[in-house]
């Protein structure tokens, strides 16, 4: 497989930065996107400090999207629609991996509650906001950003991948497999993301109850 060029929109944030770190560690080239190019460059510098020799750069979101073969969207739900609309002219094809969770916390509510999304899920909302040539896949909802950023600690988590385009799911899964300890599982059509996204609210509640930051999921019984 040719190396993908990954852009992480919101790559300065908790989840995006953690994914950037782990892919950089796996030898993957990464573009960190931000609304502010300087902030993106600072995040890229931090990745290079943690992973010497990493191929990572930080640019403004639109440039990151223009230069990528796979775009990961890692922004709060409250920002999802505006950022996708702003990237629409740039993102004409390729794959969008949406990690957005419509937690009530993104609009000032509780992190253990979900918002109702008319389209069914944040991922389905994303699909309505991108051009038809862009294949939307959803993933990474149930992985802790803290665990991703804790480089010395091995990961131990399944990543449920939803989408309506089989090739796009395979390419997203190949990227997930590059990160040791993560196992991608094909969770079905994009509409199944409604279930996967809501597991995050459960994990937030479990983190609080058990006073941890790293809870995740493993599905048993699969070969
Ligand atoms: N944190 C986790 O453990 C975790 C796990 C699974 C899924 N998720 C989901 O992944 C997404 C990102 O989570 P996060 O914790 O990484 O969020 P975050 O740190 O609060 O924000 C991520 C980035 O989004 C950008 N952003 C913030 N407000 C924005 C706006 N109004 N318009 C455009 N960009 C904006 C910011 O980048 P710039 O300021 O640089 O533009 C910020 O660094 C969320 O939907 C979350 O539910 C998070």
């Amino acid at each position: 497989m040719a190396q993908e060029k990954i852009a992480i929109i919101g790559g300065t944030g908790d989840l995006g930065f953690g994914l950037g770190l782990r892919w950089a560690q796996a030898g993957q080239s990464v573009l960190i996107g931000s609304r502010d190019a300087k902030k993106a460059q600072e995040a890229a510098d931090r990745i290079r400090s943690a992973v010497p020799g990493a191929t990572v750069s930080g640019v403004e979101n639109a440039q990151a999207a223009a230069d990528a073969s796979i775009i990961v969207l890692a922004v709060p739900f409250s920002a999802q629609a505006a950022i996708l609309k702003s990237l629409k002219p740039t993102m004409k094809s390729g794959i969008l991996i949406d990690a957005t969770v419509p937690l009530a916390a993104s609009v000032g509510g509780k992190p253990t509650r979900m918002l109702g999304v008319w389209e069914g899920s944040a991922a389905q909302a994303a699909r309505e906001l991108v051009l038809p040539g862009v294949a939307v896949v959803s993933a990474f909802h149930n992985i802790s950003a803290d665990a991703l950023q804790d480089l010395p600690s091995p990961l131990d988590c399944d990543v449920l991948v939803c989408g309506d385009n089989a090739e796009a799911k395979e390419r997203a899964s190949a990227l997930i497999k590059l990160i040791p300890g993560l196992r991608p599982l094909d969770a079905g059509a994009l509409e199944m993301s409604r279930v996967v996204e809501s597991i995050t609210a459960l994990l937030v509640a479990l983190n609080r109850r058990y006073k941890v930051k790293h809870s995740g999921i493993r599905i048993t019984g699969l070969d």
Side-chain angles (χ1 to χ4, degrees):
M1 184 185 83
Q3 216 195 56
E4 301 279 8
K5 196 149 190 196
I6 311 167
I8 307 175
I9 306 301
T12 58
D14 291 337
L15 179 69
F17 186 75
L19 288 170
L21 272 174
R22 293 284 177 168
W23 276 318
Q25 193 181 42
Q28 186 71 40
S29 142
V30 177
L31 277 169
I32 296 292
S34 168
R35 290 167 292 176
D36 174 353
K38 191 163 177 283
K39 193 174 165 189
Q41 284 156 13
E42 284 165 3
D45 289 345
R46 281 190 285 133
I47 291 180
R48 272 191 298 274
S49 302
V51 183
T55 313
V56 55
S57 43
V59 292
E60 198 269 328
N61 282 328
Q63 191 186 331
D67 291 348
S69 58
I70 292 197
I71 297 164
V72 178
L73 185 65
V75 299
F77 178 68
S78 53
Q80 187 205 37
I83 194 88
L84 285 178
K85 281 179 190 166
S86 74
L87 295 178
K88 197 168 183 176
T90 318
M91 256 191 329
K92 295 193 170 65
S93 60
I95 297 173
L96 175 75
I97 304 181
D98 186 70
T100 312
V101 182
L103 291 177
S106 72
V107 293
K110 294 188 176 184
T112 50
R113 288 187 181 164
M114 300 294 290
L115 295 170
V117 181
W118 185 267
E119 294 83 350
S121 63
Q124 290 164 286
R127 184 176 51 194
E128 293 197 7
L129 290 164
V130 299
L131 293 170
V134 177
V136 177
V137 169
S138 81
F140 301 119
H141 307 94
N142 310 138
I143 173 99
S144 147
D146 283 278
L148 285 169
Q149 290 190 29
D150 187 5
L151 277 189
S153 301
L155 295 166
D156 178 22
C157 193
D158 284 338
V159 178
L160 301 176
V161 181
C162 304
D164 298 328
N165 179 312
E167 191 216 328
K169 276 197 286 193
E170 273 172 31
R171 281 172 58 192
S173 297
L175 283 187
I176 294 163
K177 280 186 198 154
L178 289 177
I179 303 179
L182 295 190
R183 177 179 66 163
L185 290 176
D186 184 343
L190 199 67
E191 66 177 18
M192 195 56 80
S193 192
R194 179 200 304 229
V195 176
V196 177
E197 290 168 22
S198 63
I199 293 171
T200 308
L202 172 66
L203 292 173
V204 172
L206 288 167
N207 278 344
R208 289 181 161 194
R209 193 162 305 121
Y210 287 89
K211 300 190 182 355
V212 296
K213 290 182 172 177
H214 289 193
S215 71
I217 58 162
R218 274 291 190 205
I219 306 295
T220 61
L222 302 176
D223 291 332

